[in-house]
Amino acid sequence: MTTYTGLNGQAVPGTPENSAVTTLDEQQIDYYDSDIKKLIPKQDWMKEFASGDRWKKYTEIRERLQKISKRFS
């Protein structure tokens, strides 16, 4: 499950405008931060997965969702 959070209105210092957290079996496995525009693996086994082309696609998906969110806020 991926949970997306977006701030609407005044920015909060140190808090990204958009973020996303993916959980699997109640464990956080990745985190996306719109300030640094990176998808960060949070489990050792995800770090191996993150080295492939598929990881780049997942990062691009988060970036696109960030842009869509901005349009509707």
Side-chain angles (χ1 to χ4, degrees):
M1 175 172 69
T2 302
T3 304
Y4 296 91
T5 304
L7 296 177
N8 189 2
Q10 188 175 8
V12 177
T15 303
E17 185 177 37
N18 293 91
S19 62
V21 173
T22 303
T23 57
L24 177 66
D25 296 331
E26 299 179 19
Q27 296 279 325
Q28 182 180 355
I29 62 170
D30 70 25
Y31 171 76
Y32 175 77
D33 181 318
S34 64
D35 288 346
I36 61 172
K37 296 183 180 1
K38 282 192 169 190
L39 183 59
I40 303 163
K42 292 295 188 174
Q43 298 292 326
D44 288 338
W45 60 270
M46 283 295 287
K47 290 175 184 170
E48 286 182 45
F49 185 73
S51 64
D53 287 338
R54 187 177 287 178
W55 193 256
K56 184 178 176 184
K57 273 188 170 181
Y58 288 142
T59 302
E60 290 169 357
I61 290 168
R62 302 303 199 291
E63 289 172 349
R64 281 194 302 261
L65 288 170
Q66 174 188 348
K67 289 175 185 175
I68 291 168
S69 173
K70 245 185 163 168
R71 283 190 203 153
F72 293 104
S73 55

